[in-house]
Amino acid sequence: LWVACARRWAPPTDWRPDMGRWSDADVRRRAQEAEHVRARLMGYVDMAYEYAIPWRRHGDGGGNIMGKLTDSTGPSAVQNFAGNLQLAAWPSESRPIALRAGPLVQHMGDPTAVAEMDRELELASDMVTVLMRAGNVELALQESFCDLSIGTGAMIINPGAKGRQVLTARSVPA
């Protein structure tokens, strides 16, 4: 699938990493070009979703989302990819984030300031870990990794409803 897509897409000839110099017209033109490329590829992406992650797309109206699958090769490969990536990114029972004093604080030359900053950041890391575990972040991360196996994986984290989860995370399909 991706070989066919790669043959049809090539980076723009005027690609420049200095995006700060782009004018509004440049940004609009490039966005329009990207939308055209995306439109050409969406048929392939939809087909990949249909055969590898059918539960992430709507069914045929009758609830038959697995109708075109003849075996579990695609879904198994997607789940293996997502599971391995999640294991590498956020191993079970590990802290998802560890904040430490950066180079600016370290170059100030005061080791006590670095130690104090590290203690404060350790508390912040613990708070973020608790908040992420209290919500559904791990599940949404797994879903976004499934999406990433085909195209783009993205996740939105919002405050939760009162009396419920502290954070609510949602994977956003391509």
Side-chain angles (χ1 to χ4, degrees):
L1 173 69
W2 288 113
V3 172
C5 293
R7 288 185 187 142
R8 294 177 184 213
W9 181 83
T13 55
D14 64 338
W15 184 82
R16 299 185 318 241
D18 54 345
M19 293 187 287
R21 297 184 195 166
W22 292 350
S23 68
D24 288 345
D26 287 337
V27 172
R28 284 180 176 46
R29 179 184 52 78
R30 292 175 64 85
Q32 190 174 29
E33 289 172 4
E35 282 299 320
H36 288 303
V37 169
R38 183 177 188 272
R40 287 195 315 259
L41 297 178
M42 279 313 290
Y44 294 110
V45 172
D46 287 340
M47 185 172 39
Y49 268 97
E50 208 171 345
Y51 288 101
I53 317 176
W55 60 89
R56 293 288 290 150
R57 291 287 194 214
H58 298 293
D60 60 2
N64 187 13
I65 59 172
M66 305 291 201
K68 292 192 175 182
L69 291 182
T70 57
D71 67 7
S72 64
T73 304
S76 294
V78 165
Q79 289 297 331
N80 286 338
F81 172 85
N84 289 336
L85 189 55
Q86 188 163 7
L87 187 62
W90 187 357
S92 183
E93 300 303 319
S94 71
R95 177 188 282 173
I97 187 169
L99 302 172
R100 292 190 183 86
L104 285 176
V105 176
Q106 292 173 358
H107 287 296
M108 290 170 52
D110 185 7
T112 57
V114 172
E116 178 64 28
M117 178 69 75
D118 282 341
R119 274 194 300 279
E120 290 177 18
L121 291 173
E122 181 79 18
L123 177 62
S125 297
D126 290 341
M127 293 297 289
V128 169
T129 299
V130 167
L131 289 173
M132 291 178 81
R133 292 217 184 274
N136 62 337
V137 175
E138 286 182 89
L139 177 61
L141 188 64
Q142 173 78 10
E143 289 177 355
S144 69
F145 286 160
C146 285
D147 290 335
L148 183 62
S149 71
I150 288 179
T152 304
M155 183 171 58
I156 296 175
I157 300 177
N158 291 315
K162 284 192 173 193
R164 294 185 156 221
Q165 296 173 329
V166 178
L167 297 174
T168 58
R170 182 170 182 254
S171 177
V172 183

